[in-house]
Amino acid sequence: MSFLAHIVTCNTYRAENFRPLRLGATRIGWVRHDNAALLQLFPAVFAVSERDVALIAGGGFDALSTAVDGVIEALVAEGRIDKWRHEDFAVAPRWGQPPLFKLDRGAVGFFGIRSYGVHLNGIRRDADALKLWVGRRAGDKKVAPNKLDNMVAGGIGYGHGLVETLIKEAGEEAALPPALTAHAVPVGALTYRMANTAGMREDVLFVFDLDIPADFTPRNTDGEIAEFHLMPVRDIVARVRDSDDFKFNVNLVIIDFALRNGLITPDEPDYLAIVTGLRQPFD
Amino acid sequence: MSFLAHIVTCNTYRAENFRPLRLGATRIGWVRHDNAALLQLFPAVFAVSERDVALIAGGGFDALSTAVDGVIEALVAEGRIDKWRHEDFAVAPRWGQPPLFKLDRGAVGFFGIRSYGVHLNGIRRDADALKLWVGRRAGDKKVAPNKLDNMVAGGIGYGHGLVETLIKEAGEEAALPPALTAHAVPVGALTYRMANTAGMREDVLFVFDLDIPADFTPRNTDGEIAEFHLMPVRDIVARVRDSDDFKFNVNLVIIDFALRNGLITPDEPDYLAIVTGLRQPFD
């Protein structure tokens, strides 16, 4: 492994294997060619051409959401979409704009809808070393079971704000009180496009840093994190470099933390590829 | 102005106006088409085709450097390159690799050679506010006279290391003692490709943060900075957003500092375009 290998792992999307999903003139997703072929079975909802897939169901937010839900139901029944996650994500032209419709999280990959998440670095500035609280994901998680994770992380669901999501997830995953989480500092965002079995993951990770008091020990309340460990950042960075112990996209968050804190330095041969690779431009 | 406008200003390079400059199989620069036409006058050094420009002078580091110097001399004489800067920059396949040859800084833009610089955020964590030391460039600077600048900034010349350059520039520009500059923390790099009158500027800025003690006041020793001001970061960030008072690429360094410190937040409508725009991938 290497720092750069983790970035490569998260950026396996190749344009030639996908075609744009459009609503009117707006591109809203990326559909893998074999998935596009499946959508030809739903001509009242999607118009599929060699060039693109158009969502033509018509109507506003509710009508579009219902129409797409119907297609998802059929695709789940046929095993082409893994399962309902019973959690809605918003589909918008871009970050901060009103959503056009919503769809189940389980279908985000099939349609290549951009998703947004929050990741929190829980920092301890102890006298002996700079440390981070690291969680180990539960064994029954659908994505990346047993992998190491940030202290807090989660997707931003439809209708939920960014800071609201951070505070909610921090409470559920680590029992962080809202008054403490409110001091988290937004320190940037990471982006990647990853081809996966479902289709692709076009993901934005909003990163926050939070100093955790020495007398606070995280405690999971929702069953998603099996255990927490307080680890020196130098050990974490070495483990990211040398292993796949961390969840695929959490490696990016740790690498970014290391870069911002001088723990990966310009004498690293891949430095520029790492720095530029963490934030792939979207169109 | 806006944050994003500064990023757009620094990324005006368009591939269709340039052709690659190659040494063997390695691309080492980008030559604007009209500049490529001029290089046809030096067939012993450059082979110019519609597709690219090849440096064919042959020989090793010294022979290549001498051959290119001869062309620069002629181009300066004809006014096609502004002037000799009497400071050499290295030409290498990529960062950290041994240089293939060196050329005068004044010719870097004509040939579209990637250049590397160091920028230092001089930080004061006063009780009332987070502040930065800001320099005003001298009125006789060739590039961006009278503009506001980082506390320390400079290009990395041939044969000089990155930290060595930072320490040297910090001493010359701000009278920072080496023992203090040695505590500067590398916090990432910014990249941009800017079309300019000479040709283009493919630039890497290595960014450092340094806490400046309250009893230290910077003092310029080389005539490049006219005066220093200690300014609250909030005021600096607003001034970057609303004006062109800062040197074009220093805006990027300030925007990056603001992002890393939660002073530009995800509720900024252009947040993702800003975050991804600061580090354009090179090929």
Side-chain angles (χ1 to χ4, degrees), chain A residues 94-95 114 116 162 185-189 191 204 206 259-262 264-266 269-272 275-276 279-281, chain B residues 94-95 114 116 162 185-189 191 204 206 259-262 264-266 269-272 275-276 279-281:
Chain A
R94 39 170 284 188
W95 172 246
R114 186 179 303 171
Y116 301 91
L162 187 146
V185 178
V187 292
T191 61
V204 176
F206 290 103
L259 286 167
R260 288 186 289 113
N261 288 277
I264 300 175
T265 60
D270 293 324
Y271 192 75
L272 291 181
V275 166
T276 60
R279 295 168 191 86
Q280 302 290 331
Chain B
R94 40 169 284 186
W95 172 247
R114 186 178 303 170
Y116 301 90
L162 187 145
V185 178
V187 291
T191 61
V204 175
F206 291 103
L259 286 167
R260 287 187 289 111
N261 288 278
I264 300 175
T265 61
D270 294 324
Y271 192 75
L272 291 180
V275 165
T276 59
R279 296 168 191 84
Q280 304 290 329

Side-chain angles (χ1 to χ4, degrees), chain B residues 94-176:
Chain B
R94 40 169 284 186
W95 172 247
Q97 293 191 343
L100 304 166
F101 63 98
K102 61 183 170 75
L103 86 177
D104 190 82
R105 186 173 186 171
V108 163
F110 184 95
F111 292 104
I113 302 296
R114 186 178 303 170
S115 53
Y116 301 90
V118 292
H119 284 247
L120 180 83
N121 294 302
I123 304 169
R124 272 271 294 269
R125 301 180 195 275
D126 290 359
D128 59 333
L130 185 66
K131 297 173 189 168
L132 289 176
W133 279 106
V134 168
R136 180 179 291 281
R137 296 163 67 84
D140 60 356
K141 289 282 282 185
K142 172 175 163 43
V143 177
N146 299 310
K147 293 285 187 182
L148 299 178
D149 204 337
N150 292 116
M151 185 175 183
V152 175
I156 302 175
Y158 165 70
H160 298 286
L162 187 145
V163 172
E164 173 198 351
T165 298
L166 182 68
I167 287 175
K168 180 178 77 73
E169 295 283 345
E172 292 173 1
E173 296 199 344
L176 274 164

Side-chain angles (χ1 to χ4, degrees), chain B residues 29-214:
Chain B
W30 296 103
V31 184
R32 200 172 56 208
H33 297 317
D34 59 321
N35 288 343
L38 287 173
L39 293 178
Q40 289 178 313
L41 301 172
F42 309 94
V45 182
F46 293 106
V48 178
S49 77
E50 291 284 307
R51 211 181 57 251
D52 61 14
V53 176
L55 174 55
I56 55 164
F61 182 95
D62 291 336
L64 288 169
S65 303
T66 302
V68 173
D69 262 7
V71 173
I72 294 171
E73 181 70 44
L75 292 170
V76 169
E78 291 180 37
R80 303 306 194 120
I81 286 179
D82 203 35
K83 63 173 185 178
W84 291 94
R85 297 279 294 271
H86 302 295
E87 184 185 349
D88 286 330
F89 272 22
V91 182
R94 40 169 284 186
W95 172 247
Q97 293 191 343
L100 304 166
F101 63 98
K102 61 183 170 75
L103 86 177
D104 190 82
R105 186 173 186 171
V108 163
F110 184 95
F111 292 104
I113 302 296
R114 186 178 303 170
S115 53
Y116 301 90
V118 292
H119 284 247
L120 180 83
N121 294 302
I123 304 169
R124 272 271 294 269
R125 301 180 195 275
D126 290 359
D128 59 333
L130 185 66
K131 297 173 189 168
L132 289 176
W133 279 106
V134 168
R136 180 179 291 281
R137 296 163 67 84
D140 60 356
K141 289 282 282 185
K142 172 175 163 43
V143 177
N146 299 310
K147 293 285 187 182
L148 299 178
D149 204 337
N150 292 116
M151 185 175 183
V152 175
I156 302 175
Y158 165 70
H160 298 286
L162 187 145
V163 172
E164 173 198 351
T165 298
L166 182 68
I167 287 175
K168 180 178 77 73
E169 295 283 345
E172 292 173 1
E173 296 199 344
L176 274 164
L180 177 52
T181 309
H183 288 104
V185 178
V187 291
L190 310 176
T191 61
Y192 63 92
R193 284 176 171 169
M194 186 180 195
N196 58 22
T197 53
M200 68 95 85
R201 185 175 172 125
E202 177 168 293
D203 210 6
V204 175
L205 311 180
F206 291 103
V207 182
F208 292 79
D209 282 357
L210 178 62
D211 282 326
I212 305 294

Side-chain angles (χ1 to χ4, degrees), chain B residues 79 81 190 222 237 256:
Chain B
I81 286 179
L190 310 176
D222 65 359
V237 172
D256 171 65

